[in-house]
């Protein structure tokens, strides 16, 4: 984790960047229930705004969606609990356990994320240097960790879905200047054999590449030395049809995997859009895994890096 005197789950004061952001992100997938979610709170102090993603799905179709991109600013943070548009995120054990709760007539959520691998800053571990596009313009600090996710989801007809899955969570603070990225693509698989991967490739508007990358194995995260990322896109050129990536870690192990999407959703940021996917991943030896597959695009359309 990056050495800092700030609590990334508490209030982290903004610098003078107009797009300063502090965010808290959660996802999960339970293959037995074919159910998952994408949840994010973003807080832009200098714009006095906040935004919320709250999208749940089952068997490839939405269960409940709430997307609010220009909410009033809040001074609350994960450490003490933050509520936006009825969705509450709260840390129970710093950097280890947090909850996502929501209760309205048509949909209820009571879920807990418990750490499997520790929250670790992939930007620091990627060692991109002073001109790294992610570290300079997207986030100064961006730890990710894998979690067991448990609890219940209750639907409008009273059906209760018991969740026992896995997912990622992340924290961030720093600028979130989407306009600096022409395109990026991401793979965050959690495999059944315990292997986890953070692999993000960014294409900047100044013609450089940026990376967030690390491999989780044997109870810790280690560095990555090479990524070969290949996405096949649907005819819209924005959503993923299939993936074939190779990630080489600092121990020299090569992790080759493919992916197919289980669910897709778009999250807009005015002149940028994130195409969020839940992916079923498969290692070369047949081991299955699940996790986020993500792509981002700058407008006017500037391509998908293919």
């Amino acid at each position: 984790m990056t050495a800092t005197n700030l609590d990334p789950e508490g209030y982290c004061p903004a610098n003078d960047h107009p797009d300063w952001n502090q965010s808290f992100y959660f996802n999960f997938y339970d293959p037995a229930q074919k159910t998952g979610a994408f949840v994010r709170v973003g807080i832009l102090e200098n714009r006095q705004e906040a935004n919320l993603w709250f999208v749940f799905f089952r068997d490839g179709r939405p269960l409940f969606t709430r997307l609010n991109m220009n909410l009033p600013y809040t001074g609350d943070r994960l450490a003490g609990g933050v509520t936006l548009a009825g969705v509450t995120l709260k840390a129970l054990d710093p950097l280890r356990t947090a909850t996502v709760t929501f209760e309205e007539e048509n949909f209820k959520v009571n879920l807990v994320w418990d750490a499997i691998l520790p929250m670790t800053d992939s930007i620091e571990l990627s060692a991109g240097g002073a001109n790294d596009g992610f570290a300079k313009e997207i986030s100064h600090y961006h730890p990710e960790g894998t979690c067991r996710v448990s609890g219940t989801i209750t639907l409008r007809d009273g059906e209760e879905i018991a969740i026992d899955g896995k997912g990622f969570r992340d924290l961030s603070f720093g600028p979130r200047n989407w306009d600096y990225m022409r395109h990026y693509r991401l793979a965050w698989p959690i495999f059944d054999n315990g292997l986890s991967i953070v692999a993000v490739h960014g294409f900047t508007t100044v013609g450089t590449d940026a990376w967030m990358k690390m491999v989780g194995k044997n109870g810790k995260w280690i560095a990555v030395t090479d990524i070969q990322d290949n996405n096949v896109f649907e005819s819209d050129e924005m959503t993923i049809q299939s993936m074939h990536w190779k990630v080489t870690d600092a121990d020299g192990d090569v992790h080759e995997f493919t992916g197919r999407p289980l669910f897709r959703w778009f999250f807009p940021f005015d002149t940028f859009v994130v195409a969020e996917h839940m992916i079923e991943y498969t290692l070369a030896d047949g081991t299955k895994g699940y996790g986020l597959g993500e792509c981002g695009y700058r407008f006017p359309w500037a391509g998908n890096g293919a």
Side-chain angles (χ1 to χ4, degrees), residues 58-109:
R58 180 168 64 173
D59 203 13
R61 291 177 172 81
L63 281 176
F64 187 89
T65 65
R66 178 163 289 189
L67 183 63
N68 301 84
M69 298 309 295
N70 299 99
L71 294 168
Y73 174 79
T74 177
D76 295 335
R77 297 296 187 266
L78 188 68
V82 56
T83 299
L84 288 179
V87 178
T88 299
L89 314 181
K90 187 174 183 179
L92 301 184
D93 184 4
L95 300 178
R96 291 196 55 82
T97 304
T99 59
V100 175
T101 56
F102 178 79
E103 183 169 349
E104 291 194 0
E105 181 181 358
N106 294 324
F107 196 68
K108 298 177 184 178
V109 171

Side-chain angles (χ1 to χ4, degrees), residues 166-237:
K166 295 177 183 176
F168 266 91
R169 58 178 291 224
D170 74 46
L171 310 164
S172 77
F173 63 79
R176 187 56 59 93
N177 179 15
W178 290 115
D179 206 48
Y180 190 74
M181 285 291 155
R182 178 171 60 86
H183 167 63
Y184 76 90
R185 69 268 303 268
L186 170 157
W188 280 6
I190 305 172
F191 289 103
D192 292 344
N193 63 4
L195 176 73
S196 299
I197 297 172
V198 168
V200 191
H201 184 187
F203 303 76
T204 74
T205 55
V206 297
T208 58
D209 293 283
W211 300 93
M212 294 164 61
K213 53 188 181 180
M214 58 186 186
V215 164
K217 63 181 188 180
N218 301 322
K220 64 180 181 180
W221 295 98
I222 66 172
V224 165
T225 58
D226 185 63
I227 297 176
Q228 299 176 43
D229 50 302
N230 178 45
N231 287 352
V232 176
F233 293 92
E234 298 285 2
S235 59
D236 62 10
E237 300 184 66

